[in-house]
Amino acid sequence: MEKLCIASTNEGKIRELKSLLGDVFALHPLGEWGILPEAEEPFESFLENAQAKAKHYADFTQMLTLSEDAGLCIRALNHFPGVHSKRFIAESGGLSNAFDRLEEMLSAKGDCRAEFVCVSAIYDPRSGRSFTGKGIMGGEILFPAKGTDGFGFDPIFVPDGYDRTIAELGISVKTVIGHRGKSVRALLENYCPRVLP
Ligand code: IMP
């Protein structure tokens, strides 16, 4: 099996990626390399951030490396927080405060439409080539937060076709309908068609 570094320290992401890719690659979480300088996310697009992060970590690991950039895009807020999702949570002082702020921002809007976006990127340091895949999951924002089987904004997001949040539906549903699963499957089609069923 080919070795692949999972360039993330987010336990929620790593759990999903293991479930999505564990049968395809021998996975090596970033923690195996000790503490590395954190990649920046300087761009205004998920694609550019994902590619930059994959290359940043592959330069350290010298291994085929997967990174990704994901976020929640809320229609009534002009796709905010989007690529700034991580920063928004940090500047809010944590997830619970971020949920409160979003509820306040959305209270006068009357529009709860949102989508999760994820772009996954593999960088191959041997060839210098990168491969990407994008996934989107549409749904609505719901308050108060519900469910515990998830991370980040999962407890306030109800995907289309369901009446429970992603954090209530759990990882088994999320890997099938979620943005991360879709992006990883699209990435694999670009990277290695031979491993697809
Ligand atoms: P990152 O920049 O890709 O690490 O993601 C930014 C932030 O978006 C993360 O810190 C999470 O809080 C949130 N996020 C990313 N992916 C998901 C997801 O699948 N569900 C819920 N929140 C997510």
Side-chain angles (χ1 to χ4, degrees), residues 31-90:
E32 290 181 17
W33 283 267
I35 297 172
L36 298 176
E38 196 175 341
E40 297 193 2
E41 299 181 358
F43 300 106
E44 288 297 319
S45 79
F46 293 108
L47 176 68
E48 288 170 294
N49 282 333
Q51 286 182 308
K53 284 197 274 184
K55 179 168 185 331
H56 170 89
Y57 289 113
D59 285 345
F60 288 101
T61 65
Q62 284 304 309
M63 184 187 281
L64 192 69
T65 297
L66 177 141
S67 192
E68 61 153 67
D69 199 36
L72 178 66
C73 304
I74 301 176
R75 185 169 68 182
L77 303 180
N78 208 13
H79 307 295
F80 183 83
V83 286
H84 304 296
S85 293
K86 192 172 167 184
R87 192 184 310 164
F88 171 69
I89 294 168

Short mmCIF file of all heavy atoms in Angstrom, two decimals, residues 31-90:
data_model
loop_
_atom_site.label_atom_id
_atom_site.label_comp_id
_atom_site.label_asym_id
_atom_site.label_seq_id
_atom_site.Cartn_x
_atom_site.Cartn_y
_atom_site.Cartn_z
N GLY A 31 1.40 14.03 13.29
CA GLY A 31 2.01 13.94 14.62
C GLY A 31 3.27 13.09 14.63
O GLY A 31 4.15 13.27 15.48
N GLU A 32 3.39 12.14 13.68
CA GLU A 32 4.58 11.28 13.63
C GLU A 32 5.87 12.06 13.37
O GLU A 32 6.96 11.57 13.62
CB GLU A 32 4.42 10.23 12.51
CG GLU A 32 3.37 9.19 12.83
CD GLU A 32 3.25 8.13 11.73
OE1 GLU A 32 4.16 8.01 10.88
OE2 GLU A 32 2.22 7.43 11.73
N TRP A 33 5.73 13.27 12.84
CA TRP A 33 6.93 14.09 12.56
C TRP A 33 7.22 15.08 13.69
O TRP A 33 8.03 15.98 13.53
CB TRP A 33 6.76 14.84 11.23
CG TRP A 33 6.97 13.95 10.04
CD1 TRP A 33 8.14 13.75 9.36
CD2 TRP A 33 6.00 13.10 9.42
NE1 TRP A 33 7.95 12.84 8.35
CE2 TRP A 33 6.65 12.42 8.36
CE3 TRP A 33 4.64 12.84 9.64
CZ2 TRP A 33 5.99 11.52 7.54
CZ3 TRP A 33 4.00 11.94 8.83
CH2 TRP A 33 4.66 11.28 7.78
N GLY A 34 6.54 14.93 14.83
CA GLY A 34 6.73 15.88 15.93
C GLY A 34 6.02 17.18 15.61
O GLY A 34 5.10 17.21 14.80
N ILE A 35 6.48 18.24 16.24
CA ILE A 35 5.81 19.53 16.03
C ILE A 35 6.48 20.26 14.87
O ILE A 35 7.67 20.58 14.92
CB ILE A 35 5.86 20.37 17.31
CG1 ILE A 35 5.08 19.67 18.42
CG2 ILE A 35 5.26 21.77 17.07
CD1 ILE A 35 5.20 20.30 19.78
N LEU A 36 5.71 20.51 13.82
CA LEU A 36 6.23 21.21 12.64
C LEU A 36 5.66 22.62 12.60
O LEU A 36 4.58 22.88 13.15
CB LEU A 36 5.79 20.46 11.37
CG LEU A 36 6.30 19.03 11.22
CD1 LEU A 36 5.72 18.38 9.96
CD2 LEU A 36 7.82 19.00 11.16
N PRO A 37 6.35 23.54 11.94
CA PRO A 37 5.80 24.88 11.77
C PRO A 37 4.45 24.80 11.07
O PRO A 37 4.32 24.10 10.06
CB PRO A 37 6.83 25.59 10.89
CG PRO A 37 8.06 24.78 10.98
CD PRO A 37 7.67 23.38 11.29
N GLU A 38 3.44 25.48 11.63
CA GLU A 38 2.09 25.37 11.08
C GLU A 38 1.98 26.09 9.73
O GLU A 38 2.54 27.18 9.56
CB GLU A 38 1.08 25.99 12.06
CG GLU A 38 -0.34 25.58 11.76
CD GLU A 38 -1.32 26.10 12.81
OE1 GLU A 38 -0.87 26.45 13.92
OE2 GLU A 38 -2.51 26.17 12.49
N ALA A 39 1.29 25.45 8.79
CA ALA A 39 1.10 26.08 7.48
C ALA A 39 0.15 27.26 7.61
O ALA A 39 -0.81 27.22 8.37
CB ALA A 39 0.52 25.07 6.49
N GLU A 40 0.41 28.30 6.83
CA GLU A 40 -0.50 29.44 6.84
C GLU A 40 -1.63 29.17 5.85
O GLU A 40 -1.54 28.28 5.01
CB GLU A 40 0.27 30.69 6.45
CG GLU A 40 1.34 30.99 7.48
CD GLU A 40 1.93 32.38 7.33
OE1 GLU A 40 1.47 33.10 6.43
OE2 GLU A 40 2.84 32.68 8.09
N GLU A 41 -2.70 29.95 5.98
CA GLU A 41 -3.81 29.85 5.03
C GLU A 41 -4.02 31.26 4.48
O GLU A 41 -5.00 31.92 4.79
CB GLU A 41 -5.07 29.35 5.73
CG GLU A 41 -4.91 27.96 6.34
CD GLU A 41 -6.18 27.44 7.01
OE1 GLU A 41 -7.19 28.17 7.07
OE2 GLU A 41 -6.14 26.31 7.50
N PRO A 42 -3.09 31.73 3.64
CA PRO A 42 -3.10 33.14 3.27
C PRO A 42 -4.05 33.49 2.13
O PRO A 42 -4.29 34.66 1.87
CB PRO A 42 -1.65 33.38 2.80
CG PRO A 42 -1.21 32.06 2.28
CD PRO A 42 -1.93 31.01 3.06
N PHE A 43 -4.61 32.48 1.47
CA PHE A 43 -5.37 32.76 0.24
C PHE A 43 -6.86 32.92 0.50
O PHE A 43 -7.38 32.50 1.53
CB PHE A 43 -5.11 31.65 -0.79
CG PHE A 43 -3.67 31.52 -1.17
CD1 PHE A 43 -2.91 30.46 -0.70
CD2 PHE A 43 -3.06 32.48 -1.96
CE1 PHE A 43 -1.56 30.35 -1.04
CE2 PHE A 43 -1.71 32.38 -2.31
CZ PHE A 43 -0.97 31.30 -1.84
N GLU A 44 -7.54 33.48 -0.50
CA GLU A 44 -8.99 33.67 -0.41
C GLU A 44 -9.74 32.53 -1.08
O GLU A 44 -10.94 32.64 -1.33
CB GLU A 44 -9.39 35.01 -1.05
CG GLU A 44 -8.97 36.23 -0.24
CD GLU A 44 -9.64 36.30 1.14
OE1 GLU A 44 -10.84 36.00 1.23
OE2 GLU A 44 -8.94 36.63 2.12
N SER A 45 -9.02 31.45 -1.43
CA SER A 45 -9.72 30.30 -2.01
C SER A 45 -9.30 29.02 -1.30
O SER A 45 -8.15 28.87 -0.87
CB SER A 45 -9.44 30.19 -3.52
OG SER A 45 -8.18 29.61 -3.74
N PHE A 46 -10.27 28.12 -1.15
CA PHE A 46 -10.00 26.82 -0.53
C PHE A 46 -8.93 26.07 -1.32
O PHE A 46 -8.05 25.43 -0.75
CB PHE A 46 -11.28 25.98 -0.48
CG PHE A 46 -12.34 26.53 0.44
CD1 PHE A 46 -13.48 27.12 -0.06
CD2 PHE A 46 -12.19 26.46 1.82
CE1 PHE A 46 -14.47 27.61 0.78
CE2 PHE A 46 -13.16 26.95 2.68
CZ PHE A 46 -14.30 27.53 2.15
N LEU A 47 -9.02 26.16 -2.65
CA LEU A 47 -8.09 25.44 -3.51
C LEU A 47 -6.63 25.85 -3.26
O LEU A 47 -5.75 25.01 -3.03
CB LEU A 47 -8.45 25.67 -4.98
CG LEU A 47 -7.51 25.06 -6.01
CD1 LEU A 47 -7.57 23.54 -5.97
CD2 LEU A 47 -7.83 25.54 -7.42
N GLU A 48 -6.40 27.15 -3.29
CA GLU A 48 -5.02 27.63 -3.11
C GLU A 48 -4.49 27.29 -1.71
O GLU A 48 -3.33 26.91 -1.55
CB GLU A 48 -4.94 29.13 -3.35
CG GLU A 48 -5.10 29.53 -4.80
CD GLU A 48 -5.26 31.04 -4.94
OE1 GLU A 48 -6.28 31.59 -4.47
OE2 GLU A 48 -4.35 31.66 -5.52
N ASN A 49 -5.35 27.43 -0.69
CA ASN A 49 -4.92 27.11 0.67
C ASN A 49 -4.59 25.62 0.80
O ASN A 49 -3.58 25.25 1.41
CB ASN A 49 -6.00 27.48 1.68
CG ASN A 49 -6.03 28.96 1.98
OD1 ASN A 49 -5.01 29.65 1.86
ND2 ASN A 49 -7.19 29.48 2.36
N ALA A 50 -5.45 24.76 0.21
CA ALA A 50 -5.22 23.31 0.32
C ALA A 50 -3.92 22.94 -0.37
O ALA A 50 -3.10 22.17 0.17
CB ALA A 50 -6.39 22.55 -0.30
N GLN A 51 -3.68 23.49 -1.56
CA GLN A 51 -2.44 23.16 -2.29
C GLN A 51 -1.20 23.65 -1.53
O GLN A 51 -0.20 22.95 -1.43
CB GLN A 51 -2.48 23.78 -3.68
CG GLN A 51 -3.41 23.05 -4.62
CD GLN A 51 -3.41 23.65 -6.01
OE1 GLN A 51 -3.59 24.86 -6.16
NE2 GLN A 51 -3.24 22.83 -7.02
N ALA A 52 -1.30 24.87 -1.00
CA ALA A 52 -0.15 25.43 -0.27
C ALA A 52 0.15 24.62 0.98
O ALA A 52 1.32 24.35 1.31
CB ALA A 52 -0.43 26.89 0.10
N LYS A 53 -0.90 24.18 1.68
CA LYS A 53 -0.69 23.41 2.91
C LYS A 53 -0.08 22.04 2.59
O LYS A 53 0.82 21.56 3.29
CB LYS A 53 -2.02 23.23 3.67
CG LYS A 53 -2.46 24.49 4.40
CD LYS A 53 -3.52 24.20 5.45
CE LYS A 53 -4.91 24.19 4.91
NZ LYS A 53 -5.95 24.00 5.95
N ALA A 54 -0.57 21.39 1.52
CA ALA A 54 -0.04 20.06 1.16
C ALA A 54 1.45 20.17 0.84
O ALA A 54 2.27 19.36 1.28
CB ALA A 54 -0.82 19.48 -0.02
N LYS A 55 1.83 21.20 0.07
CA LYS A 55 3.25 21.35 -0.29
C LYS A 55 4.09 21.70 0.94
O LYS A 55 5.18 21.16 1.13
CB LYS A 55 3.42 22.42 -1.37
CG LYS A 55 4.88 22.60 -1.74
CD LYS A 55 5.09 23.41 -2.97
CE LYS A 55 6.55 23.48 -3.41
NZ LYS A 55 7.56 23.38 -2.40
N HIS A 56 3.55 22.59 1.78
CA HIS A 56 4.27 23.00 3.00
C HIS A 56 4.66 21.77 3.82
O HIS A 56 5.81 21.63 4.23
CB HIS A 56 3.36 23.93 3.82
CG HIS A 56 3.87 24.24 5.19
ND1 HIS A 56 4.72 25.31 5.46
CD2 HIS A 56 3.68 23.63 6.39
CE1 HIS A 56 5.00 25.34 6.74
NE2 HIS A 56 4.39 24.33 7.34
N TYR A 57 3.69 20.87 4.05
CA TYR A 57 3.99 19.72 4.90
C TYR A 57 4.80 18.65 4.16
O TYR A 57 5.64 17.98 4.77
CB TYR A 57 2.71 19.15 5.51
CG TYR A 57 2.12 20.08 6.55
CD1 TYR A 57 0.92 20.74 6.35
CD2 TYR A 57 2.83 20.34 7.73
CE1 TYR A 57 0.40 21.62 7.30
CE2 TYR A 57 2.33 21.22 8.69
CZ TYR A 57 1.11 21.85 8.47
OH TYR A 57 0.63 22.72 9.41
N ALA A 58 4.57 18.51 2.85
CA ALA A 58 5.35 17.52 2.09
C ALA A 58 6.83 17.90 2.07
O ALA A 58 7.70 17.03 2.03
CB ALA A 58 4.82 17.42 0.66
N ASP A 59 7.13 19.20 2.12
CA ASP A 59 8.53 19.63 2.17
C ASP A 59 9.22 19.10 3.43
O ASP A 59 10.42 18.86 3.44
CB ASP A 59 8.63 21.16 2.12
CG ASP A 59 8.35 21.71 0.72
OD1 ASP A 59 8.37 20.91 -0.24
OD2 ASP A 59 8.08 22.92 0.60
N PHE A 60 8.44 18.91 4.52
CA PHE A 60 9.01 18.35 5.75
C PHE A 60 9.01 16.83 5.71
O PHE A 60 9.99 16.19 6.08
CB PHE A 60 8.23 18.82 6.98
CG PHE A 60 8.44 20.26 7.31
CD1 PHE A 60 7.49 21.21 6.96
CD2 PHE A 60 9.60 20.68 7.96
CE1 PHE A 60 7.68 22.55 7.26
CE2 PHE A 60 9.80 22.03 8.25
CZ PHE A 60 8.84 22.97 7.90
N THR A 61 7.89 16.25 5.28
CA THR A 61 7.75 14.79 5.37
C THR A 61 8.48 14.07 4.25
O THR A 61 8.83 12.90 4.39
CB THR A 61 6.26 14.39 5.31
OG1 THR A 61 5.73 14.74 4.02
CG2 THR A 61 5.45 15.09 6.40
N GLN A 62 8.64 14.75 3.11
CA GLN A 62 9.20 14.11 1.90
C GLN A 62 8.40 12.85 1.56
O GLN A 62 8.96 11.86 1.09
CB GLN A 62 10.69 13.79 2.08
CG GLN A 62 11.57 15.03 1.98
CD GLN A 62 11.39 15.77 0.64
OE1 GLN A 62 11.46 15.18 -0.42
NE2 GLN A 62 11.10 17.08 0.72
N MET A 63 7.12 12.91 1.83
CA MET A 63 6.23 11.79 1.56
C MET A 63 5.02 12.32 0.81
O MET A 63 4.71 13.52 0.91
CB MET A 63 5.78 11.19 2.92
CG MET A 63 4.93 9.94 2.80
SD MET A 63 4.30 9.46 4.43
CE MET A 63 5.71 8.65 5.11
N LEU A 64 4.36 11.47 0.06
CA LEU A 64 3.08 11.85 -0.53
C LEU A 64 2.20 12.40 0.59
O LEU A 64 2.02 11.73 1.61
CB LEU A 64 2.45 10.60 -1.13
CG LEU A 64 1.25 10.79 -2.04
CD1 LEU A 64 1.69 11.45 -3.34
CD2 LEU A 64 0.61 9.42 -2.33
N THR A 65 1.71 13.62 0.44
CA THR A 65 1.05 14.29 1.56
C THR A 65 -0.30 14.86 1.15
O THR A 65 -0.42 15.53 0.12
CB THR A 65 1.96 15.42 2.10
OG1 THR A 65 3.16 14.83 2.60
CG2 THR A 65 1.29 16.20 3.22
N LEU A 66 -1.31 14.58 1.99
CA LEU A 66 -2.65 15.11 1.74
C LEU A 66 -2.96 16.21 2.75
O LEU A 66 -2.74 16.05 3.95
CB LEU A 66 -3.70 14.01 1.87
CG LEU A 66 -5.16 14.45 1.69
CD1 LEU A 66 -5.95 13.40 0.91
CD2 LEU A 66 -5.85 14.74 3.01
N SER A 67 -3.45 17.33 2.23
CA SER A 67 -3.97 18.37 3.11
C SER A 67 -5.31 18.81 2.57
O SER A 67 -5.72 18.39 1.48
CB SER A 67 -2.99 19.55 3.18
OG SER A 67 -3.38 20.41 4.24
N GLU A 68 -5.99 19.63 3.31
CA GLU A 68 -7.28 20.11 2.82
C GLU A 68 -7.62 21.45 3.44
O GLU A 68 -7.04 21.84 4.47
CB GLU A 68 -8.37 19.10 3.15
CG GLU A 68 -8.49 18.89 4.64
CD GLU A 68 -9.88 18.46 5.04
OE1 GLU A 68 -10.28 17.34 4.67
OE2 GLU A 68 -10.57 19.24 5.72
N ASP A 69 -8.53 22.14 2.81
CA ASP A 69 -9.05 23.36 3.40
C ASP A 69 -10.57 23.29 3.30
O ASP A 69 -11.11 22.93 2.26
CB ASP A 69 -8.52 24.60 2.67
CG ASP A 69 -8.66 25.85 3.52
OD1 ASP A 69 -8.49 25.75 4.76
OD2 ASP A 69 -8.95 26.92 2.97
N ALA A 70 -11.23 23.57 4.41
CA ALA A 70 -12.69 23.42 4.45
C ALA A 70 -13.29 24.57 5.23
O ALA A 70 -12.61 25.23 6.02
CB ALA A 70 -13.05 22.09 5.10
N GLY A 71 -14.56 24.80 5.03
CA GLY A 71 -15.22 25.84 5.79
C GLY A 71 -16.71 25.89 5.52
O GLY A 71 -17.22 25.21 4.62
N LEU A 72 -17.39 26.70 6.31
CA LEU A 72 -18.84 26.86 6.21
C LEU A 72 -19.15 28.18 5.53
O LEU A 72 -18.72 29.24 5.98
CB LEU A 72 -19.43 26.86 7.64
CG LEU A 72 -20.93 27.06 7.75
CD1 LEU A 72 -21.68 25.87 7.13
CD2 LEU A 72 -21.34 27.22 9.21
N CYS A 73 -19.92 28.12 4.44
CA CYS A 73 -20.26 29.32 3.66
C CYS A 73 -21.75 29.59 3.81
O CYS A 73 -22.58 28.79 3.35
CB CYS A 73 -19.91 29.11 2.19
SG CYS A 73 -18.19 28.65 1.92
N ILE A 74 -22.10 30.71 4.44
CA ILE A 74 -23.51 31.02 4.72
C ILE A 74 -24.01 32.06 3.72
O ILE A 74 -23.43 33.15 3.60
CB ILE A 74 -23.65 31.52 6.18
CG1 ILE A 74 -23.14 30.45 7.15
CG2 ILE A 74 -25.11 31.87 6.48
CD1 ILE A 74 -23.14 30.86 8.61
N ARG A 75 -25.08 31.69 3.00
CA ARG A 75 -25.54 32.54 1.89
C ARG A 75 -25.88 33.96 2.34
O ARG A 75 -25.44 34.93 1.73
CB ARG A 75 -26.76 31.88 1.21
CG ARG A 75 -27.24 32.61 -0.01
CD ARG A 75 -28.24 31.80 -0.79
NE ARG A 75 -29.50 31.65 -0.05
CZ ARG A 75 -30.54 30.94 -0.50
NH1 ARG A 75 -30.45 30.30 -1.65
NH2 ARG A 75 -31.64 30.85 0.21
N ALA A 76 -26.66 34.08 3.42
CA ALA A 76 -27.11 35.40 3.85
C ALA A 76 -25.96 36.27 4.37
O ALA A 76 -26.11 37.49 4.52
CB ALA A 76 -28.17 35.27 4.94
N LEU A 77 -24.81 35.66 4.63
CA LEU A 77 -23.65 36.41 5.12
C LEU A 77 -22.58 36.52 4.04
O LEU A 77 -21.39 36.68 4.34
CB LEU A 77 -23.07 35.73 6.37
CG LEU A 77 -24.03 35.52 7.55
CD1 LEU A 77 -23.31 34.85 8.72
CD2 LEU A 77 -24.64 36.86 8.01
N ASN A 78 -23.05 36.42 2.78
CA ASN A 78 -22.11 36.57 1.67
C ASN A 78 -20.97 35.53 1.74
O ASN A 78 -19.81 35.86 1.52
CB ASN A 78 -21.55 38.00 1.67
CG ASN A 78 -21.15 38.45 0.29
OD1 ASN A 78 -21.51 37.79 -0.68
ND2 ASN A 78 -20.40 39.53 0.21
N HIS A 79 -21.37 34.29 2.12
CA HIS A 79 -20.47 33.13 2.19
C HIS A 79 -19.48 33.18 3.36
O HIS A 79 -18.53 32.41 3.39
CB HIS A 79 -19.72 32.92 0.87
CG HIS A 79 -20.65 32.84 -0.31
ND1 HIS A 79 -21.56 31.83 -0.46
CD2 HIS A 79 -20.86 33.69 -1.33
CE1 HIS A 79 -22.27 32.04 -1.55
NE2 HIS A 79 -21.88 33.17 -2.10
N PHE A 80 -19.69 34.09 4.28
CA PHE A 80 -18.91 34.12 5.53
C PHE A 80 -19.32 32.91 6.39
O PHE A 80 -20.48 32.52 6.34
CB PHE A 80 -19.20 35.44 6.26
CG PHE A 80 -18.42 35.63 7.53
CD1 PHE A 80 -17.13 36.11 7.49
CD2 PHE A 80 -18.99 35.30 8.75
CE1 PHE A 80 -16.41 36.28 8.67
CE2 PHE A 80 -18.27 35.46 9.92
CZ PHE A 80 -16.99 35.96 9.88
N PRO A 81 -18.46 32.33 7.22
CA PRO A 81 -17.03 32.63 7.38
C PRO A 81 -16.14 32.02 6.29
O PRO A 81 -14.99 32.41 6.17
CB PRO A 81 -16.68 32.06 8.75
CG PRO A 81 -17.70 31.00 9.01
CD PRO A 81 -18.94 31.39 8.26
N GLY A 82 -16.64 31.03 5.53
CA GLY A 82 -15.90 30.52 4.37
C GLY A 82 -14.46 30.14 4.68
O GLY A 82 -14.19 29.40 5.63
N VAL A 83 -13.53 30.67 3.86
CA VAL A 83 -12.11 30.33 4.07
C VAL A 83 -11.59 30.86 5.41
O VAL A 83 -10.52 30.48 5.85
CB VAL A 83 -11.19 30.86 2.95
CG1 VAL A 83 -11.33 30.06 1.68
CG2 VAL A 83 -11.40 32.33 2.69
N HIS A 84 -12.36 31.74 6.03
CA HIS A 84 -11.92 32.31 7.32
C HIS A 84 -12.55 31.58 8.51
O HIS A 84 -12.54 32.11 9.63
CB HIS A 84 -12.26 33.81 7.37
CG HIS A 84 -11.67 34.58 6.24
ND1 HIS A 84 -10.31 34.71 6.04
CD2 HIS A 84 -12.25 35.22 5.20
CE1 HIS A 84 -10.07 35.41 4.95
NE2 HIS A 84 -11.23 35.73 4.41
N SER A 85 -13.09 30.38 8.29
CA SER A 85 -13.82 29.66 9.35
C SER A 85 -12.95 29.46 10.61
O SER A 85 -13.39 29.71 11.73
CB SER A 85 -14.31 28.31 8.84
OG SER A 85 -15.30 28.49 7.85
N LYS A 86 -11.72 29.01 10.39
CA LYS A 86 -10.84 28.73 11.54
C LYS A 86 -10.58 30.02 12.32
O LYS A 86 -10.66 30.05 13.55
CB LYS A 86 -9.53 28.13 11.01
CG LYS A 86 -8.63 27.54 12.04
CD LYS A 86 -7.49 26.83 11.33
CE LYS A 86 -6.37 26.46 12.23
NZ LYS A 86 -5.26 25.87 11.48
N ARG A 87 -10.26 31.08 11.58
CA ARG A 87 -9.96 32.36 12.21
C ARG A 87 -11.19 32.91 12.94
O ARG A 87 -11.09 33.46 14.03
CB ARG A 87 -9.51 33.37 11.14
CG ARG A 87 -8.91 34.63 11.73
CD ARG A 87 -8.57 35.64 10.65
NE ARG A 87 -7.80 35.09 9.55
CZ ARG A 87 -7.65 35.69 8.37
NH1 ARG A 87 -8.20 36.87 8.14
NH2 ARG A 87 -6.94 35.13 7.42
N PHE A 88 -12.37 32.74 12.33
CA PHE A 88 -13.60 33.23 12.95
C PHE A 88 -13.84 32.57 14.31
O PHE A 88 -14.18 33.23 15.29
CB PHE A 88 -14.80 32.97 12.01
CG PHE A 88 -16.13 33.25 12.63
CD1 PHE A 88 -16.51 34.56 12.93
CD2 PHE A 88 -17.02 32.22 12.91
CE1 PHE A 88 -17.74 34.82 13.52
CE2 PHE A 88 -18.24 32.47 13.49
CZ PHE A 88 -18.61 33.77 13.79
N ILE A 89 -13.61 31.24 14.36
CA ILE A 89 -13.81 30.53 15.64
C ILE A 89 -12.78 31.01 16.66
O ILE A 89 -13.12 31.29 17.82
CB ILE A 89 -13.69 29.00 15.42
CG1 ILE A 89 -14.84 28.50 14.54
CG2 ILE A 89 -13.69 28.27 16.76
CD1 ILE A 89 -14.68 27.08 14.04
N ALA A 90 -11.53 31.16 16.23
CA ALA A 90 -10.48 31.61 17.16
C ALA A 90 -10.77 33.02 17.67
O ALA A 90 -10.68 33.30 18.87
CB ALA A 90 -9.12 31.56 16.46
#
